[in-house]
Amino acid sequence: MSKRIAAIAAIAVLVAASAIAGSGQNHQVGTNSVMILPPRGQTSANAWATPVTYAQGDIVSHGSSLFWCQVAGGGANTSADTPAIEADGRSADGTNTWQWIPRGDRIIAAIVNDGSAAIYLNDRPAAVVGAGIRLNASGGVFNVPAGMMDTPLYAICGSASNSVAIFDR
């Protein structure tokens, strides 16, 4: 009976993953802990400002929208208005890349390791190699459980760089 339940659960995961497959984002994970999945359900943040040097993972507000810094280039943002948001929800400003954070609660999320080395996930900023949730290389998958849907997730890899795909809705 337990094999049947496991098979049904596996099918449900595959169906859910295919339903969200079009909303994926790719992130590079290296030897420093980085946020790969921002928190959801957050309603406010510090206002986006210029000139400010932002760090990866910073969350700011602009108008009624929230953005998180996916790539911090080390330089201050350069314009008084946020740049246009692309179709994938990303926006670039000087040396920083921003990702729009949808309002409302996260319904489903999956993280796929597309790289050639294992990565480790944690719901705290200091993800550590060898600790937390391990995603095996070349297709390791983590389906985010209901209790973690609104928390940020951080990742780290023991090698120089690794790619992960994030699917969330």
Side-chain angles (χ1 to χ4, degrees), residues 74-101:
N77 55 333
T78 57
S79 63
D81 297 314
T82 51
I85 300 170
E86 303 299 328
D88 66 359
R90 292 187 183 187
S91 178
D93 171 48
T95 58
N96 302 312
T97 301
W98 298 93
Q99 177 68 43
W100 173 69
I101 302 174

Side-chain angles (χ1 to χ4, degrees), residues 36-134:
I36 60 168
L37 193 64
R40 289 282 288 269
Q42 184 172 339
T43 57
S44 65
N46 290 332
W48 184 87
T50 186
V52 174
T53 300
Y54 289 104
Q56 194 278 337
D58 284 350
I59 297 175
V60 298
S61 66
H62 184 71
S64 62
S65 296
L66 295 176
F67 298 87
W68 68 289
C69 186
Q70 285 186 311
V71 177
N77 55 333
T78 57
S79 63
D81 297 314
T82 51
I85 300 170
E86 303 299 328
D88 66 359
R90 292 187 183 187
S91 178
D93 171 48
T95 58
N96 302 312
T97 301
W98 298 93
Q99 177 68 43
W100 173 69
I101 302 174
R103 297 281 183 165
D105 295 330
R106 184 174 283 120
I107 298 168
I108 188 168
I111 301 167
V112 180
N113 184 354
D114 288 336
S116 59
I119 65 166
Y120 297 86
L121 305 176
N122 200 328
D123 61 351
R124 292 176 182 81
V128 176
V129 172
I133 301 162
R134 176 188 167 107

Side-chain angles (χ1 to χ4, degrees), residues 140-151:
V141 177
F142 176 63
N143 293 300
V144 180
M148 293 177 71
M149 283 294 175
D150 293 332
T151 62

